[in-house]
Amino acid sequence: MSEVFFSIAGLGAVAGAIGVIALRNPFYTVLALVFHLLSLAALFLLLQAQFVAAAQVIVYAGAVMVLYVFVVAYIGGQDEPLGVPGTGLVGAAMLAAGALFVELCIAMLGSGLKAIDSRGAKLPAGFGTPEQIGQLLLTKFLFVFELASILLLVAAVGAVILARRRRGLEAEDEEAARRLIPAVAPPGTGGMAEGTGSLSLSPAPGEREKPEQPTPTGGW
């Protein structure tokens, strides 16, 4: 049964990864990435890493992918390619992909095939459970765990400070900027005149020609 489950999860992970780089619609690309992450979570379950599988689903396939979906929905589905065709990036990407494929083949042929006939490593009871992960984080890896939390806190505070700096001018600077702006715009400017790049051809209200007054004899 585990072999069938592994085959389905492995094929799903490969298909999702191919869909991420093959699909042109960003929304379908995000869905393919979600399917890939869920397949990886199934593979982690086969390795008896329940905590990693749950984190894969909750953090990556859940929170991070929801953020990606919001970004795609905000910018809209663009079918244009990200790069200019014919550039050197395509060749560099193919070279890097080939080197990675060769490395994976060497790793699989060198060590992975030797463990096919074996039952794998002997794991202690409770390996990979949230209880064991919590004990390790609060005992053996306590310093690293607290250091990571401090780094995340510093990053959050920095993001808040940067957001406050970009919200606009301060009260005093805004008042000084308003004093530099004339209260009354010159005739023929503002509104549609600035938008169309042309000035108004009609005279100002105070400059309109007055009609001629009739003469005392009754003529014009």
Side-chain angles (χ1 to χ4, degrees):
M1 187 62 185
S2 60
E3 291 82 1
V4 177
F5 193 68
F6 173 78
S7 301
I8 296 175
L11 291 176
V14 174
I18 294 176
V20 170
I21 61 176
L23 296 174
R24 297 179 61 87
N25 194 325
F27 185 75
Y28 293 140
T29 300
V30 172
L31 293 181
L33 185 57
V34 171
F35 185 73
H36 172 75
L37 294 176
L38 292 178
S39 301
L40 289 182
L43 293 176
F44 284 131
L45 284 178
L46 288 176
L47 295 175
Q48 298 185 9
Q50 295 88 351
F51 179 81
V52 180
Q56 187 83 10
V57 174
I58 297 174
V59 178
Y60 289 99
V64 177
M65 287 300 103
V66 168
L67 177 62
Y68 284 0
V69 169
F70 273 107
V71 171
V72 171
Y74 180 74
I75 64 176
Q78 301 292 335
D79 294 333
E80 292 80 4
L82 297 179
V84 180
T87 59
L89 294 177
V90 178
M94 295 180 63
L95 182 61
L100 181 60
F101 179 75
V102 172
E103 182 182 1
L104 292 177
C105 290
I106 294 175
M108 183 176 62
L109 296 175
S111 60
L113 296 179
K114 296 179 181 179
I116 291 180
D117 297 334
S118 63
R119 299 187 61 85
K122 295 182 179 180
L123 302 176
F127 177 82
T129 58
E131 180 181 0
Q132 186 190 25
I133 297 295
Q135 290 179 354
L136 291 176
L137 289 178
L138 297 178
T139 55
K140 184 177 181 181
F141 302 102
L142 179 61
F143 177 75
V144 180
F145 178 70
E146 294 297 334
L147 182 62
S149 62
I150 293 175
L151 291 177
L152 292 176
L153 179 61
V154 171
V157 173
V160 172
I161 294 176
L162 292 177
R164 289 191 59 186
R165 288 183 178 179
R166 293 186 178 183
R167 68 179 182 179
L169 300 175
E170 297 295 337
E172 298 179 357
D173 298 336
E174 187 175 359
E175 184 66 24
R178 287 182 177 180
R179 293 175 181 175
L180 298 177
I181 300 176
V184 179
T189 61
M192 294 297 295
E194 290 183 353
T196 57
S198 61
L199 297 178
S200 177
L201 300 179
S202 60
E207 299 178 359
R208 294 178 180 177
E209 297 181 359
K210 299 181 179 180
E212 297 181 359
Q213 299 295 332
T215 60
T217 58
W220 290 88

